[in-house]
Amino acid sequence: MATGRLFLWSAARGEWVSCPPDEITWLDRRLLSGDEDLTLHRAPRCAGLRYVHHRWELFSRDTTYRVYLAPAAAGTPLAAEAVQRTACHVLPVAPARYEPLPVVLAEGSWLVSVGAWVLRLRLDVPARPRPDPAVQDGTRQVTTQAGTIVRRASVPGEDAVARVRGYFERNATARLAMAYYYQEFILGLAAPQTVPMTDVVIALDLSGEGAVSDYKKLLQGLIWKERGHARDLADFLLANGLLTPADLDEARQVAAENERSGVCDMARQRLRYRQKGN
């Protein structure tokens, strides 16, 4: 979990400025554009940076613009288009009264894009102490509490993000299915609910009723190398930019085309036939 000191680049001062951990740093109209861009919002209706639970988060209450976060690689131009193209996290436009899930910042240099404006960030994390060898592999230890066997919560593998991203690149159907299934989470709705699996199967013309469940199990295996993390799956996929509003847009377009072309009707008939046969 990333901790440390967060800095943003001040073009006006020509230096890095520290973000105070005891207050929110608002990425508002003044900070981004010097009050020039009137399409940008003022606090608290904008994006911001905050230090909570011993980590820095990027969050957004912006009801107009998506907020893009991209690594500040050498040679990356300070242009909104470049940040949006290379973004690893996208915070969707916030509903009027709620904010989407925040993004936890990792150590390193970052670029944030809001509208046409780009801000440079740098998170410096101090060296971490070595873990106690006796508990180094404690995430999978079994302990007892009042005679009950309890398994400690495991953490994602170091290459979990890369494995899921590679899987989604190879299997667009799985990516679109999960985006459609978790669409309320992607949109940042309050108390989000998943879309019924049968509706996902019909909308995207998946192979069978258990397709979404199979995708969820496979993804849990890629991330945690075990099942039992269904409740954590949406948070992991969204927090790591593995499902974005762009994926949801694509999934909805496919669903709309399937509805127009009659594919959804055929899928409904197929499901009804199978249910009668059972």
Side-chain angles (χ1 to χ4, degrees):
M1 190 174 294
T3 60
R5 299 185 63 190
L6 181 64
F7 301 87
L8 59 84
W9 178 257
S10 171
R13 298 170 57 174
E15 62 180 357
W16 290 100
V17 178
S18 178
C19 297
D22 55 348
E23 62 184 64
I24 294 175
T25 298
W26 295 103
L27 310 186
D28 57 7
R29 182 189 302 174
R30 179 193 58 79
L31 178 64
L32 293 175
S33 72
D35 283 324
E36 293 181 3
D37 189 345
L38 300 183
T39 68
L40 297 174
H41 295 290
R42 300 185 185 279
R45 297 181 57 226
C46 57
L49 300 161
R50 62 192 176 197
Y51 186 75
V52 293
H53 306 305
H54 306 289
R55 64 189 187 184
W56 285 97
E57 292 181 346
L58 170 66
F59 69 98
S60 178
R61 299 173 184 170
D62 196 310
T63 57
T64 302
Y65 292 110
R66 292 175 178 174
V67 179
Y68 298 84
L69 178 69
T76 303
L78 295 178
E81 295 80 5
V83 176
Q84 294 170 16
R85 187 173 58 252
T86 59
C88 59
H89 299 283
V90 182
L91 288 171
V93 172
R97 297 176 57 188
Y98 305 99
E99 66 184 52
L101 292 173
V103 173
V104 178
L105 291 176
E107 181 181 8
S109 298
W110 299 93
L111 299 175
V112 177
S113 170
V114 182
W117 302 89
V118 176
L119 182 70
R120 295 169 59 192
L121 301 177
R122 190 185 84 233
L123 178 59
D124 294 341
V125 178
R128 299 175 182 176
R130 286 190 172 187
D132 186 344
V135 296
Q136 188 170 5
D137 195 32
T139 56
R140 299 187 62 84
Q141 288 182 347
V142 176
T143 58
T144 59
Q145 294 179 359
T148 303
I149 296 178
V150 179
R151 191 172 196 167
R152 295 183 182 177
S154 62
V155 297
E158 293 182 1
D159 58 345
V161 174
R163 287 195 288 177
V164 173
R165 182 171 288 116
Y167 173 69
F168 278 164
E169 289 175 352
R170 298 189 303 271
N171 193 332
T173 301
R175 174 174 57 83
L176 298 182
M178 298 313 297
Y180 200 87
Y181 179 68
Y182 284 125
Q183 58 184 276
E184 290 193 4
F185 293 79
I186 295 174
L187 294 172
L189 301 185
Q193 301 292 321
T194 56
V195 173
M197 293 185 184
T198 301
D199 292 353
V200 181
V201 171
I202 292 172
L204 301 179
D205 192 28
L206 301 182
S207 58
E209 296 177 71
V212 176
S213 179
D214 290 342
Y215 289 144
K216 291 176 63 180
K217 293 174 183 176
L218 187 147
L219 289 168
Q220 290 175 66
L222 291 175
I223 298 167
W224 294 280
K225 299 183 180 180
E226 63 183 8
R227 298 179 186 177
H229 298 271
R231 295 184 178 181
D232 304 321
L233 185 56
D235 286 347
F236 180 88
L237 295 175
L238 270 66
N240 290 284
L242 297 165
L243 289 181
T244 70
D247 297 314
L248 177 56
D249 290 345
E250 185 178 351
R252 284 179 163 179
Q253 290 173 12
V254 172
E257 178 57 31
N258 286 344
E259 192 67 60
R260 284 193 298 268
S261 63
V263 170
C264 290
D265 285 337
M266 295 176 62
R268 293 186 186 99
Q269 293 174 13
R270 184 175 69 245
L271 288 176
R272 282 197 294 268
Y273 174 78
R274 289 180 179 176
Q275 290 169 357
K276 290 179 181 178
N278 292 337

